[in-house]
Amino acid sequence: MGNVVLNLSLSEINKMKSYYDGKLLDKTPPGSVFAAKTAGSTITAYKSGKVLFQGNGSEAEASRWGEAAVKAPAKTSAKSKVPKGDLPDGIGQLSVIGSDEVGTGDFFGPITVVAAYVRKEDIPLLKELGVRDSKDLNDEKIISIAKIIKDVVPFSLMTLKNEKYNQLQQSGMSQGKMKAILHNQAILNVMEKIAPVKPEAILIDQFVQGSTYFQHVKNQKAVAKENVYFSTKAEGIHLAVAAASILARYAFVQYIDKLSESAGFKIPKGAGAQVDEAAAKLILKKGQEVLPKFVKLHFANTEKAMKLVGKKRG
Ligand code: MG
């Protein structure tokens, strides 16, 4: 009684839509062409060409239309090496808002935080689309997956640009507090998007103790508190966090591309020796005053870049 996913052309999907005329559902998920319900199956067709069949009669219903690309298992067991802590039982199969961030360790570029809502019934589809731990995916793959899921999954992106980051940092705010505020805001935005539906759980890829997180956000206008859970390696616990991580990475990569364009050369990621070189090049080309728009100034890389500039100017 597993779910079934088919890959079909848009013209086939349109054919299906007229076939299911009279059984179409009024409410359809984002990114879908139609949703329909028969006696044995719920069918959701997406613009990407993926068609998801759910329910006891899925296999029979899907067989009218083609050969299954995957049979999504009805249940998946969580990887045993993933820490579970005090998470709700079976959280991997609940409808969850997940959130994650990118860019905190990169000298160049912003911090991007994404919260994304994945309904339990969309988990097989996301798996089929290749959503998994973004650490296992290269940027090219991440971009191609992100382009599809951004229309399937309700999400909110918060981008903390370098100039603002440097201001906050110089005023004494810790990176942890910045992240907590961004996560909270992204989660609230998604909750507003999906209302009146409520997520069964909210899972934050853990970067501080839960108590510290709530300390950081206590002065915010609103705080998402109910059913909020934290876990390290949360990408492996629920696909909502994996999807959030992919979308955050996508936004970060796009931003680095913009910075590269404005610098006139390719800006490297990370915090290694290559970013020192790139920052030195930028200073020589555009002047030191542009630095706050490009980098996280308090990183040790700033001083290293200045030393390189001194050497190059001789
Ligand atoms: Mg993370």
Side-chain angles (χ1 to χ4, degrees):
M1 58 172 263
N3 302 326
V4 179
V5 179
L6 298 182
N7 285 303
L8 298 173
S9 69
L10 210 55
S11 75
E12 286 170 303
I13 286 175
N14 284 326
K15 235 184 271 173
M16 289 178 76
K17 189 177 178 182
S18 26
Y19 176 86
Y20 291 115
D21 190 26
K23 292 186 168 137
L24 296 175
L25 300 173
D26 290 338
K27 263 189 104 175
T28 60
S32 63
V33 180
F34 74 86
K37 198 173 171 63
T38 66
S41 181
T42 302
I43 303 122
T44 315
Y46 290 88
K47 287 175 195 150
S48 65
K50 309 283 180 197
V51 184
L52 180 65
F53 296 80
Q54 294 163 288
N56 292 329
S58 295
E59 283 176 33
E61 199 61 43
S63 67
R64 294 175 195 277
W65 303 102
E67 192 120 324
V70 288
K71 278 183 196 165
K75 268 198 183 138
T76 41
S77 53
K79 285 179 207 155
S80 55
K81 60 182 172 192
V82 169
K84 288 293 277 270
D86 53 357
L87 299 173
D89 272 353
I91 185 171
Q93 297 302 315
L94 299 180
S95 296
V96 165
I97 291 179
S99 72
D100 198 7
E101 82 282 330
V102 170
T104 55
D106 294 85
F107 182 46
F108 282 97
I111 292 179
T112 55
V113 174
V114 168
Y117 177 57
V118 172
R119 304 180 310 161
K120 50 167 92 79
E121 52 268 47
D122 287 334
I123 292 172
L125 172 75
L126 292 192
K127 274 193 188 149
E128 160 66 11
L129 292 172
V131 175
R132 57 196 153 93
D133 196 331
S134 65
K135 285 168 203 86
D136 299 339
L137 300 167
N138 61 26
D139 279 351
E140 200 184 336
K141 191 80 190 150
I142 284 173
I143 290 166
S144 76
I145 296 171
K147 281 183 177 164
I148 304 174
I149 63 172
K150 73 181 171 49
D151 298 323
V152 175
V153 169
F155 74 96
S156 167
L157 162 68
M158 304 296 296
T159 301
L160 180 59
K161 295 178 184 172
N162 295 92
E163 264 181 322
K164 181 79 183 170
Y165 175 95
N166 289 320
Q167 276 172 21
L168 293 172
Q169 198 277 326
Q170 281 157 14
S171 77
M173 191 185 282
S174 68
Q175 210 191 53
K177 182 163 181 176
M178 295 180 213
K179 286 195 270 188
I181 292 170
L182 295 166
H183 275 266
N184 179 58
Q185 192 55 53
I187 290 164
L188 290 172
N189 292 346
V190 174
M191 289 177 77
E192 201 177 305
K193 273 192 188 177
I194 66 173
V197 171
K198 280 190 174 181
E200 292 173 299
I202 296 169
L203 180 60
I204 300 175
D205 192 40
Q206 188 159 20
F207 53 93
V208 283
Q209 289 288 315
S211 55
T212 310
Y213 173 89
F214 286 115
Q215 185 66 22
H216 284 327
V217 296
K218 71 170 194 275
N219 291 330
Q220 298 298 299
K221 258 184 269 164
V223 176
K225 280 189 191 136
E226 212 180 315
N227 287 329
V228 173
Y229 299 92
F230 301 87
S231 175
T232 56
K233 299 187 180 150
E235 290 183 70
I237 292 173
H238 198 285
L239 280 189
V241 182
S245 166
I246 287 171
L247 291 165
R249 181 86 196 159
Y250 176 53
F252 180 79
V253 168
Q254 279 184 310
Y255 202 98
I256 289 284
D257 287 347
K258 265 207 308 204
L259 289 182
S260 298
E261 211 170 287
S262 121
F265 59 90
K266 196 167 166 25
I267 295 287
K269 302 183 190 88
Q274 76 283 10
V275 304
D276 305 339
E277 286 289 344
K281 190 171 167 184
L282 184 69
I283 293 166
L284 289 167
K285 215 174 148 184
K286 306 250 179 195
Q288 198 184 333
E289 64 276 12
V290 303
L291 218 48
K293 286 185 191 166
F294 283 82
V295 304
K296 300 179 185 83
L297 284 176
H298 66 111
F299 278 35
N301 303 93
T302 302
E303 214 182 300
K304 291 180 192 162
M306 292 309 294
K307 276 191 187 144
L308 286 173
V309 169
K311 271 188 206 160
K312 282 179 191 186
R313 283 190 176 139

